[in-house]
Amino acid sequence: MYELLYIHLPFCRQRCAYCNFVTEAVPEDDPHMDAYLERLMRDIRAAAHAGELEHIRTMYLGGGTPTHFGHARLVELAYLLSLSIRLEQVEEYTVEANPDSLTPALAKDLYALGANRLSVGVQSFVDSELAVLGRLHTADQAAQTIRESRTRFENLSLDLICGIPGQTETSWQYSLEQALSLEPEHLSIYPLQVDHGTPLAQAINSGALSAVDEDSQAEMLEQAARVLGAQGYPRYEVASYARPGYESRHNTGYWTGVSYLGIGTGAASMRNTLEGTRERWLCGEEPELLSASEAAAEDLFLALRMSRGVSNTQLKEASTLLPQALNVFEELQSLGLVVQTNQRYLPTEKGWLLGNELYARVWALAEGS
Amino acid sequence: MRSLPKRVDSSLIRNFSLIAHIDHGKSTLADRILQLTHTIAERDMMEQVLDSMDIERERGITIKSQAVRVLYDAADGRSYQLNLIDTPGHVDFTYEVSRSLAACEGAVLVVDATQGVEAQTIANAALAMNANLEIIPVINKIDLPAADIERVKGEIEEGLAIPAEHALAVSAKTGEGVHDILEAVVRRVPPPTGNAAAPLKALIFDSYYDAYRGVVALVRIVDGELRKGQNIRLLAAGITTLVEEVGVRRPANTAVDELAAGEVGYLITGLKDPRDVKVGDTVTLAHGGATEPLPGYRDVKPMVFSGIFPVDGDQYEGLREALDKLALNDPALVYEPETSHALGFGFRVGFLGLLHMEVVKERLEREFDLDLVATAPSVEYHVFTTNGELLTIHTPQDMPDASTIEHIEEPYLTATVLIPPEYVGAVMELSVARRGSFKTMVYLSENTVEMKWEIPLSELVLDYFDQLKSRTRGYASLDYEFSSYHTASLVRLDILLAGKPVDALSFIIHKDKAYERGNALAIKLKEIIPRQLFEVPIQAAVGGRVLARTTVKARRKDVLAKCYGGDITRKRKLLEKQKAGKKRMKSIGNVEVPQEAFMALLKIDE
């Protein structure tokens, strides 16, 4: 029973310098996008016909850059979705947008067709940093776009990146403050990841740019948590901050083991079976089957991405499948990665920053069972 | 292939070796000789047939001796039986070379026309002269543009005191001049002498293990004859056994009825343990045989020791089996179980030298698919205790408490270094820094200086050769031989990680160098050990006194922030990959230590 629906729109005007995602840079009138829309429409109709969309309660149009898909195509897609899904039971309907391609008219039309949340990829409010990232917009453009979309959308999320070559504690503070001045409901904060083979990695390897070291990146992440927390945006997930009540329901679904359907090239789906096992697959590919204990270990490590952590009850239940679970959580506590309060294990500051260490130790529970 | 004539008059036999510095083209020349004498059909010719081990072929070095019989129709109209013995080219195997040479009457000394005389050219030529062999100097690689035949002739005459006006200029690669070598062998190398009527006396000059036949010995018959069915006795080993088969290598084993005085071939007995068949031993008849062994036998002693441990403790049995198997073909390899607090169960392995150590380690990992940690090489120390005992120490952990030590002696080598004159200063500086004392310096030619140093083996096994090469832009060549034990002021330097001593990182060092080396190692380890969940102090200490300290800072950030629908699987795979990466490290207490940390001592910059 899928509760979340994700539609992938893998097109961009240009690849960002750090991009390693499934996407393709195409001009606005590229016929590929028409063909892609045709396929999406068929797949959505098929899913609706099979009854797979009946229980959908959150939707997400992600990319790529969905707003680069073009006004007409996007509206056509949203229209079909509005016919295929019971919009009255959809609690959250997000469209990802880039400041350079979101027009006021498009924002209005998307809202009219049911979208109620915009996630805007701002990344930085410093133009030189945007240039390093290979973004096509300026800081002013981003602020302008956001203000304009406010006429419709009362739920806005902004993405910011820290650890950009050239970024300082001061310029990061500036970006955070600029973001706050736009009064978004939600903020996502990502440390820049330099993936092998990207133009950014090449620029760093050639010495044209210098990478921000581990310690400074850690400082910036802590700075974000401090500043945002003080302004009424508590952290609810390792990279997510929101005003109370505006935590992303769709994303929370990913971290809490809710079944979801992904449509479009490279889109991921997950389905829990009645036997407690779990299937994961990419659109059009064979599913990977996770055993019940693997699913339990996955739920535990995903839960530790969130500030609410793991309850003693959840841990006890998981330990029937993962006999070492209690021991490992004790160890995590002694390592300072989690702390136990009010019958729950919560990630510590160290646990946030050393997430991979924490999640790896929890995921390893599946191996031992 | 031509068939073998029944029995050849010993005046028509020539036994000779090829000797050379590494990479001077010995193996290519051997290949060419096999081709020229039609010993191997053209289509079966594989580059360097005689270097049969993969590693030998890859690294272009010869580790085991080989003996091949070829038939050669000489210009004088007669057909000769030539036994070609290819010898190991490396200094670690000097004893093996000397035994191979003892099986010959002549040696073809191969010198690279572009490189000239190098350290092992001299060492091997000296061995050949000691064995009273007729030496035929051959200048190889004359096809190369940089070939300088006249200069090399000068070096042969001045450096080796071998007349070189008749030195043959050849190219093993193109085949030019190779016929002339065979003619020279026939004309200049004396035929073997030996008494066919005397009781059997044969020299074992190498052996190898065959899974079906057991130990196969390569032998030179000195007196008498060796036949299938004979009861024989190995004098040094004190073992009596039966001859199952004798034969010659062409290069495949070909059984013959008998091997007569002067001939070279192989011998198969029922013996399965390679340690029973010792290189240099004398084969004679069990009844009425010779009582005097052939001269020159000695027990092979390891010089360099290293602890070898499986990264994964489950591979301990696998490592034991692998060592057992390697030892079948390598009786010089000795090992005994060793336990380390840090590394668990493993073996202390003794090697003839550094190359031997490298080759063995590489074979263990490659041929047996083992993941190993090796500790920095050590040597054999003689510790004299206050109560008059002599302890032989192969591992730093066995070093007794300082208060019970009267004095310690360590092995010294005589190192011979050949360099162009402009590098004399660089070699001086390096050798003095490694506690070497200068012995002699001789100009072998305008372009080549020979320096002799007395230097502790423990310093040499560190990185002396690498340093020598890098400080002389690759021009230096090195040879060494054991000299004697000398008293030295030595201490054990311990490394502590997070406050706990790690036995596998301890080493023995001269007191005056302890601070410098300890500090350099602490710095190097800081680079090698990745940041961990906690801060890891690294301390270098002697007898509990800390000499140097560095710190690996605690890891601050390791998180991939994005994790949405499609990222979850990817993320999981990444966590698994990270974990697999950690598996390749040794965890000591709470600290994850990469394998290379245990060899860091060899990599410190001074």
Side-chain angles (χ1 to χ4, degrees):
Chain A
M1 220 57 93
Y2 303 113
E3 295 179 44
L4 323 175
L5 176 65
Y6 177 82
I7 308 286
H8 194 54
L9 298 169
F11 302 100
C12 291
R13 216 164 105 195
Q14 160 183 312
R15 254 183 195 278
C16 298
Y18 56 95
C19 173
N20 197 16
F21 307 121
V22 186
T23 190
E24 194 186 339
V26 296
E28 273 163 56
D29 55 357
D30 194 286
H32 272 112
M33 294 201 281
D34 296 319
Y36 189 80
L37 176 62
E38 285 305 312
R39 223 174 46 238
L40 270 187
M41 307 271 272
R42 275 200 303 274
D43 288 352
I44 293 167
R45 289 292 291 271
H49 197 72
E52 290 175 338
L53 305 181
E54 276 168 27
H55 299 274
I56 296 300
R57 55 179 180 82
T58 70
M59 294 216 290
Y60 202 104
L61 266 56
T65 312
T67 43
H68 180 62
F69 199 48
H71 192 139
R73 291 187 200 92
L74 212 47
V75 165
E76 201 176 336
L77 172 66
Y79 180 62
L80 176 69
L81 285 169
S82 74
L83 299 176
S84 311
I85 284 160
R86 298 185 185 170
L87 279 179
E88 74 278 9
Q89 72 184 22
V90 170
E91 305 158 6
E92 185 185 283
Y93 182 165
T94 306
V95 180
E96 254 177 9
N98 265 4
D100 60 289
S101 50
L102 179 66
T103 60
L106 180 57
K108 269 187 205 167
D109 285 350
L110 288 172
Y111 184 77
L113 288 165
N116 60 10
R117 185 173 181 265
L118 276 184
S119 171
V120 186
V122 179
Q123 320 308 4
S124 166
F125 283 95
V126 178
D127 286 346
S128 59
E129 292 170 8
L130 289 168
V132 165
L133 294 176
R135 303 290 292 181
L136 290 166
H137 61 88
T138 61
D140 284 345
Q141 249 179 311
Q144 166 98 8
T145 307
I146 289 160
R147 275 193 289 267
E148 285 169 357
S149 60
R150 271 299 188 197
T151 56
R152 288 290 184 277
F153 287 90
E154 63 103 27
N155 190 353
L156 263 178
S157 175
L158 304 184
D159 287 0
L160 291 179
I161 291 180
C162 65
I164 304 165
Q167 198 173 34
T168 62
E169 208 178 300
T170 318
S171 74
W172 176 232
Q173 180 75 21
Y174 176 78
S175 283
L176 289 170
E177 282 167 6
Q178 287 302 109
L180 288 170
S181 73
L182 294 165
E183 303 186 323
E185 282 62 43
H186 186 280
L187 284 143
S188 296
I189 305 293
Y190 304 118
L192 179 67
Q193 190 194 333
V194 181
D195 282 316
H196 185 74
T198 57
L200 187 63
Q202 283 159 18
I204 289 171
N205 288 340
S206 73
L209 293 175
S210 50
V212 172
D213 67 40
E214 180 184 329
D215 294 282
S216 312
Q217 248 188 29
E219 300 291 341
M220 290 184 191
L221 287 171
E222 287 180 349
Q223 189 182 346
R226 222 166 35 235
V227 171
L228 300 180
Q231 296 297 315
Y233 295 84
R235 185 186 225 166
Y236 72 96
E237 190 256 356
V238 57
S240 311
Y241 299 79
R243 286 190 169 148
Y246 286 95
E247 297 84 3
S248 166
R249 297 173 191 220
H250 186 86
N251 292 342
T252 301
Y254 288 141
W255 304 318
T256 50
V258 175
S259 296
Y260 56 91
L261 179 66
I263 297 177
T265 304
S269 300
M270 187 276 265
R271 196 174 71 89
N272 292 313
T273 68
L274 292 172
E275 298 78 43
T277 61
R278 181 172 285 178
E279 288 176 341
R280 289 191 176 277
W281 69 98
L282 297 181
C283 201
E285 293 181 19
E286 283 300 302
E288 176 197 13
L289 183 70
L290 279 81
S291 67
S293 37
E294 284 173 325
E298 210 179 59
D299 285 340
L300 285 180
F301 97 69
L302 290 171
L304 286 174
R305 294 187 64 88
M306 303 186 65
S307 58
R308 66 162 93 144
V310 173
S311 72
N312 285 4
T313 321
Q314 185 186 356
L315 186 61
K316 203 170 258 169
E317 267 169 37
S319 67
T320 59
L321 290 164
L322 308 167
Q324 285 304 310
L326 287 166
N327 293 337
V328 167
F329 271 68
E330 286 293 306
E331 195 193 337
L332 294 177
Q333 190 166 11
S334 72
L335 292 170
L337 295 169
V338 301
V339 64
Q340 202 182 23
T341 39
N342 299 327
Q343 309 288 307
R344 302 186 79 85
Y345 284 95
L346 312 179
T348 58
E349 190 59 46
K350 191 170 172 181
W352 292 125
L353 287 172
L354 298 176
N356 286 347
E357 182 73 40
L358 171 56
Y359 315 143
R361 285 168 185 264
V362 174
W363 170 244
L365 279 170
E367 254 184 33
S369 68
Chain B
M1 203 200 328
R2 292 168 52 179
S3 59
L4 292 167
K6 261 307 202 190
R7 186 153 192 177
V8 176
D9 188 291
S10 68
S11 68
L12 295 177
I13 297 175
R14 300 289 183 276
N15 298 316
F16 72 105
S17 271
L18 300 177
I19 54 179
H21 188 82
I22 192 163
D23 280 342
H24 281 202
K26 190 163 59 79
S27 298
T28 312
L29 181 58
D31 290 352
R32 207 57 68 220
I33 291 173
L34 297 191
Q35 237 173 350
L36 206 69
T37 54
H38 311 290
T39 311
I40 309 188
E42 225 33 75
R43 65 186 142 78
D44 295 334
M45 195 68 200
M46 197 177 2
E47 280 283 294
Q48 300 186 6
V49 173
L50 292 189
D51 286 350
S52 53
M53 258 191 271
D54 274 358
I55 269 186
E56 293 191 4
R57 215 169 285 152
E58 243 170 64
R59 299 173 70 130
I61 51 170
T62 308
I63 296 166
K64 303 287 286 180
S65 306
Q66 289 280 5
V68 180
R69 176 176 292 186
V70 305
L71 301 179
Y72 177 62
D73 297 324
D76 65 9
R78 283 188 286 186
S79 182
Y80 289 84
Q81 177 200 108
L82 308 184
N83 292 302
L84 161 61
I85 296 173
D86 194 18
T87 57
H90 194 273
V91 48
D92 283 0
F93 307 101
T94 299
Y95 173 69
E96 282 76 357
V97 177
S98 79
R99 293 307 83 204
S100 292
L101 294 182
C104 300
E105 281 75 37
V108 171
L109 175 69
V110 184
V111 185
D112 187 319
T114 68
Q115 303 291 322
V117 167
E118 298 199 60
Q120 285 151 40
T121 317
I122 297 182
N124 286 318
L127 287 172
M129 284 188 257
N130 284 340
N132 286 319
L133 301 192
E134 175 68 29
I135 296 175
I136 301 172
V138 164
I139 300 171
N140 188 23
K141 304 196 189 179
I142 57 164
D143 55 305
L144 294 181
D148 187 347
I149 299 171
E150 287 313 307
R151 173 175 81 92
V152 176
K153 276 189 179 175
E155 288 186 1
I156 292 172
E157 296 206 330
E158 288 173 56
L160 307 176
I162 296 171
E165 77 259 40
H166 299 304
L168 301 170
V170 312
S171 164
K173 197 170 150 209
T174 65
E176 184 185 350
V178 177
H179 251 296
D180 301 337
I181 297 176
L182 295 180
E183 281 300 319
V185 166
V186 165
R187 274 187 283 109
R188 287 163 59 185
V189 174
T193 53
N195 186 352
L200 170 68
K201 231 183 205 186
L203 170 72
I204 298 175
F205 62 88
D206 204 355
S207 72
Y208 64 91
Y209 187 80
D210 181 292
Y212 301 103
R213 310 300 306 270
V215 183
V216 182
L218 301 183
V219 292
R220 154 74 193 267
I221 315 300
V222 178
D223 290 327
E225 57 188 28
L226 184 63
R227 261 198 320 272
K228 181 177 172 171
Q230 275 173 335
N231 257 313
I232 54 167
R233 182 169 178 77
L234 309 180
L235 284 182
I239 287 173
T240 301
T241 180
L242 193 73
V243 178
E244 280 183 7
E245 182 179 316
V246 293
V248 297
R249 295 165 64 78
R250 309 213 354 103
N253 285 1
T254 311
V256 296
D257 296 335
E258 60 177 33
L259 290 171
E263 287 191 304
V264 169
Y266 69 84
L267 158 67
I268 296 173
T269 63
L271 296 175
K272 300 286 181 204
D273 186 345
R275 278 162 294 197
D276 291 340
V277 184
K278 297 168 191 284
V279 169
D281 202 350
T282 304
V283 182
T284 188
L285 295 172
H287 307 290
T291 47
E292 272 298 298
L294 294 163
Y297 172 79
R298 66 177 161 89
D299 263 324
V300 177
K301 273 192 72 175
M303 304 262 277
V304 177
F305 300 83
S306 169
I308 294 189
F309 297 85
V311 172
D312 179 352
D314 293 348
Q315 287 193 338
Y316 176 75
E317 275 309 314
L319 175 57
R320 176 200 294 281
E321 280 164 27
L323 282 167
D324 287 346
K325 274 203 187 120
L326 278 193
L328 288 176
N329 263 316
D330 188 354
L333 183 69
V334 297
Y335 48 97
E336 54 184 39
E338 179 174 74
T339 311
S340 153
H341 291 300
L343 300 178
F345 294 107
F347 294 90
R348 172 93 346 201
V349 186
F351 306 96
L352 295 175
L354 289 174
L355 178 82
H356 189 216
M357 177 172 88
E358 260 178 59
V359 166
V360 168
K361 254 167 38 192
E362 207 172 310
R363 292 188 66 192
L364 285 171
E365 294 207 304
R366 202 165 356 155
E367 293 171 26
F368 299 92
D369 200 20
L370 297 166
D371 221 350
L372 303 174
V373 183
T375 61
S378 174
V379 302
E380 181 177 303
Y381 293 98
H382 291 169
V383 176
F384 296 82
T385 65
T386 43
N387 57 15
E389 261 183 301
L390 165 63
L391 305 175
T392 311
I393 303 289
H394 293 147
T395 165
Q397 287 93 282
D398 291 347
M399 190 60 87
D401 190 79
S403 63
T404 66
I405 297 174
E406 208 265 313
H407 75 280
I408 306 175
E409 292 182 356
E410 68 173 328
Y412 271 67
L413 301 174
T414 304
T416 305
V417 179
L418 264 62
I419 33 161
E422 60 265 38
Y423 295 113
V424 165
V427 175
M428 281 273 181
E429 198 186 356
L430 172 68
S431 306
V432 168
R434 299 302 152 88
R435 297 194 285 135
S437 48
F438 173 75
K439 289 282 156 206
T440 59
M441 182 162 96
V442 179
Y443 273 76
L444 298 184
S445 71
E446 235 173 82
N447 306 313
T448 309
V449 176
E450 181 199 78
M451 295 177 95
K452 283 194 188 289
W453 291 84
E454 199 65 8
I455 191 165
L457 175 59
S458 64
E459 296 284 340
L460 195 114
V461 300
L462 281 184
D463 58 348
Y464 183 79
F465 189 50
D466 286 347
Q467 285 289 327
L468 190 64
K469 278 277 183 198
S470 79
R471 292 180 192 207
T472 60
R473 308 234 252 110
Y475 279 113
S477 59
L478 171 72
D479 184 52
Y480 51 81
E481 59 182 349
F482 174 72
S483 139
S484 55
Y485 272 80
H486 291 298
T487 302
S489 181
L490 301 169
V491 292
R492 188 180 76 198
L493 193 138
D494 296 318
I495 295 290
L496 291 78
L497 293 183
K500 296 206 181 75
V502 178
D503 55 5
L505 287 171
S506 296
F507 58 98
I508 292 166
I509 179 143
H510 194 270
K511 214 175 78 194
D512 296 346
K513 312 207 85 190
Y515 170 74
E516 183 195 334
R517 214 46 85 68
N519 193 41
L521 181 59
I523 290 169
K524 191 75 197 174
L525 285 173
K526 184 189 165 187
E527 287 167 27
I528 293 174
I529 297 174
R531 293 170 72 169
Q532 323 252 325
L533 283 178
F534 301 97
E535 187 177 280
V536 179
I538 301 169
Q539 292 161 297
V542 169
R545 195 166 58 86
V546 175
L547 302 177
R549 179 191 159 115
T550 56
T551 305
V552 181
K553 284 196 288 180
R555 204 161 73 224
R556 280 297 301 283
K557 181 206 145 249
D558 174 21
V559 62
L560 291 178
K562 278 199 181 184
C563 184
Y564 303 113
D567 306 316
I568 294 171
T569 305
R570 220 177 311 145
K571 176 125 198 147
R572 215 170 357 87
K573 304 271 187 242
L574 189 101
L575 296 177
E576 282 163 11
K577 220 166 101 189
Q578 255 184 342
K579 190 158 169 263
K582 270 195 192 161
K583 262 199 169 157
R584 283 196 296 274
M585 294 200 253
K586 260 298 183 193
S587 70
I588 297 175
N590 259 339
V591 186
E592 307 281 348
V593 183
Q595 293 169 47
E596 55 176 317
F598 300 96
M599 280 288 180
L601 188 58
L602 306 189
K603 309 231 163 64
I604 59 184
D605 321 304
E606 285 169 47

